[in-house]
Amino acid sequence: MAEPLLQVRNLETTFFTPDGVVPAVDHVSLSVNKGETLGLVGESGCGKSVTALSVMRLIADPPGKIMGGDILFEGQNLLAKTEAEMRTIRGNRISMIFQEPMTSLNPVFTVGFQITEAIRLHQKLDRRDALAKAVEMLRLVGIPLPEKRVYEYPHELSGGMRQRVMIAMALSCNPKLLIADEPTTALDVTIQAQVLELMKRLRNELGMAILLITHDLGVVAEMADRVSVMYAGKNVEEGLVEPIFERPLHPYTRGLLDSIPQLHRDQVRLHAIDGGVPNPSQFPKGCRFHPRCQFAQDRCRAEQPVLTEVEPGHKVSCWYPLVAADRGVA
Amino acid sequence: MFSYAVKKVLLAIPLLLGVSVLVFMMMHLIPGDPARIIAGPEAFPEDVEALRVQLGLDKPLPVQYWIFLSHAVHGDFGRSIRSTRLVSAEIKSRFPATVELAVVATAVSLVIGLISGIIAATKQNSFFDTASMGVALLGISIPGFWLGLMLMLVFSYYLHLLPPSGRGGGLLTLAGWRYIALPALSLGVSSAASIARMTRSSMLEVLRQDYVRTARAKGLAERVVVYTHALKNAMIPVVTLTGLHLGFLLGGAVITEQVFAWPGLGTLVVNAIWSRDFPIVQGVVMLFATTFTVINLLVDLTYALFDPRVRYE
């Protein structure tokens, strides 16, 4: 179980924009074991998607550039691979689905064409066999009348159906790792539940690992085995889902958990973390969370904490990790 | 799609009727008596009068228009005043040359425009991008006739590679290609320039889209991403622009045809205007309006080839 499939170590991805150098991902590490689901959580702009795109080596250069670190997939460093070698991995052993099903499919090609493209490329099937496989994939993701749907264009499908098509496309070559970047954010709540249910079922059937990027802790609780929390381009906390939800060590993680609406508790007002994510071109000195942290002390303003293992399997990057007394409801 | 085409054709009828009214009125709105102009300054009054009756100019205006129209729908615009040949015969002898030039010039502009536009977009801000877009701006700004003269000067006068003017024996012969090269190039370059700029901006827009990222995430080669996934989406504005260019070129590239003594409609209509040869002008203008309408219909139908979301209802 604990065999690592993907290991990201000290990844640095930087964007060189006219407004300055933006270290969007700054020494981020994470690992996904075989068959495991890792939830990568954080607010918008904290570097989650850039981390994912770095793994796929799909960062547009310019303006972006991977400046350092290692990305080991099945023991091989993806950062050392040529573009041609990466193309045999993308869509084949690592697949990705995106947040916006409405815009992520090409409007001018049929669903069938877009699914068969990957199949024909990676599995070297001919047109007819690839189409049969595409129909099979559409049936697998629960699309009714797949024989008919393969000839339809994306605009003829609803948002939920399109996300199912994206999933079918991503899974058509049996990837070892599926990177799902906010796969349900753009969908209606009922459709969200269906898509998550589908992803869970397919994960169990196909035995792939999932790197699930989301800002929704409800989705993490539903799907993930482990969770890694990011803030301002850095890891802040990592561990199994249950300990993190029950005993968050980082004030930011606790803030995220507190901002989930609780139906069974009388809440006068919803908790929110004060302030906003700092602009990546001018991060605060010391711990990047300190301006928004109610526990910040002098050391937090001066020195950057490092990710350290506090309990077995539970890492946090904080000078003063929360103790039980701090965890009461704010 | 068929019913859409029929609808479009039906809509074109009032348009062409409107054009026919204007074309008909042209003869009567121009200062002077048409019969006197046609007969010439030295004609006797009784000859002018006879001509007036012969041309039907003594009848009431609506009747004259009806006669004009009923002949026009049969392609009969009367006889040229200058050559006394049938207008339809004059046009028939010139139209192939114009079509030939328009098609070759459009092909030239599409090849140059698409290729440089795509390369400029995929290598944005590179030397090629800056240079080709600079040349394109120049190409749009330079008048076609000046470029024609310069081409003639270089390729005919100095290098003696190509004939300076006239038309060879059609596109099935080598001579035909040698004669058409310079006029087609000088017409094609300015269209190529605007097509290149349109292609570039359209491609840049499309390359930013989510589905292009999806295509890359599938492991497709950049070539497939650009030339299949992006290009098909980027083509729609380019098709519109190319249709417009082709429409204008089919109306006869008046100045360029003059410069290269190309025996097309442009030359015909200019000479007709100089010599007050109304029937020819009327015939050519009607033909111009008709071809433009047809090209527009074809452009509309072409959209469906590129975008399945286009619905013809």
Side-chain angles (χ1 to χ4, degrees), chain B:
Chain B
M1 177 133 161
F2 178 73
S3 63
Y4 174 85
V6 170
K7 201 172 123 197
K8 274 279 177 177
V9 170
L10 290 178
L11 277 175
I13 290 175
L15 177 79
L16 292 175
L17 275 178
V19 174
S20 76
V21 171
L22 290 179
V23 163
F24 168 75
M25 291 309 288
M26 180 177 78
M27 231 172 135
H28 297 271
L29 291 176
I30 284 174
D33 175 0
R36 184 170 295 279
I37 293 168
I38 291 167
E42 273 121 51
F44 293 110
E46 47 272 38
D47 289 340
V48 174
E49 214 42 52
L51 193 63
R52 197 190 305 282
V53 174
Q54 188 200 326
L55 291 173
L57 292 171
D58 55 336
K59 296 190 176 73
L61 220 49
V63 177
Q64 286 188 40
Y65 174 68
W66 178 248
I67 294 169
F68 167 77
L69 189 66
S70 52
H71 285 100
V73 294
H74 293 103
D76 178 5
F77 289 90
R79 286 177 181 278
S80 160
I81 293 165
R82 220 159 52 119
S83 71
T84 69
R85 286 177 67 199
L86 280 173
V87 171
S88 55
E90 286 278 12
I91 289 177
K92 223 177 270 171
S93 72
R94 301 298 194 102
F95 198 44
T98 286
V99 172
E100 186 179 296
L101 184 58
V103 168
V104 175
T106 303
V108 167
S109 65
L110 268 180
V111 170
I112 302 177
L114 279 179
I115 293 178
S116 54
I118 292 169
I119 297 178
T122 51
K123 302 198 186 324
Q124 197 193 356
N125 301 327
S126 68
F127 172 74
F128 181 89
D129 181 23
T130 317
S132 65
M133 287 306 117
V135 172
L137 192 61
L138 208 64
I140 293 173
S141 322
I142 288 176
F145 64 88
W146 184 83
L147 182 68
L149 289 173
M150 290 305 116
L151 287 172
M152 209 187 271
L153 193 68
V154 174
F155 289 98
S156 309
Y157 185 78
Y158 289 123
L159 300 176
H160 301 289
L161 284 176
L162 294 166
S165 63
R167 180 183 180 222
L171 292 184
L172 296 176
T173 62
L174 180 65
W177 284 98
R178 279 168 51 82
Y179 277 97
I180 207 171
L182 293 184
L185 198 61
S186 61
L187 279 178
V189 160
S190 74
S191 311
S194 52
I195 289 175
R197 292 184 75 89
M198 179 66 88
T199 305
R200 176 180 181 272
S201 64
S202 182
M203 281 296 280
L204 283 177
E205 176 68 32
V206 167
L207 285 169
R208 274 202 298 272
Q209 300 296 315
D210 289 345
Y211 53 77
V212 169
R213 184 184 56 189
T214 305
R216 292 199 177 110
K218 266 190 252 186
L220 296 173
E222 193 58 21
R223 175 175 42 82
V224 181
V225 173
V226 171
Y227 287 91
T228 307
H229 282 262
L231 186 59
K232 200 176 171 196
N233 279 284
M235 279 305 285
I236 290 216
V238 180
V239 168
T240 312
L241 186 65
T242 309
L244 281 176
H245 282 307
L246 184 61
F248 279 116
L249 290 177
L250 281 175
V254 175
I255 297 173
T256 306
E257 284 190 3
Q258 285 289 305
V259 169
F260 289 99
W262 188 261
L265 289 179
T267 317
L268 179 70
V269 81
V270 167
N271 292 334
I273 290 168
W274 282 124
S275 52
R276 305 279 188 276
D277 199 345
F278 295 115
I280 295 275
V281 178
Q282 287 177 324
V284 173
V285 171
M286 278 315 293
L287 178 70
F288 184 29
T290 314
T291 41
F292 214 91
T293 314
V294 171
I295 295 284
N296 264 320
L297 174 63
L298 290 179
V299 166
D300 278 350
L301 297 179
T302 312
Y303 289 154
L305 291 180
F306 291 99
D307 193 344
R309 287 167 299 182
V310 175
R311 279 279 163 272
Y312 297 117
E313 272 135 26

Side-chain angles (χ1 to χ4, degrees), chain A residues 235-248:
Chain A
N235 296 105
V236 293
E237 188 164 1
E238 191 193 312
L240 292 169
V241 168
E242 216 164 90
I244 287 203
F245 274 61
E246 282 171 12
R247 302 185 302 280

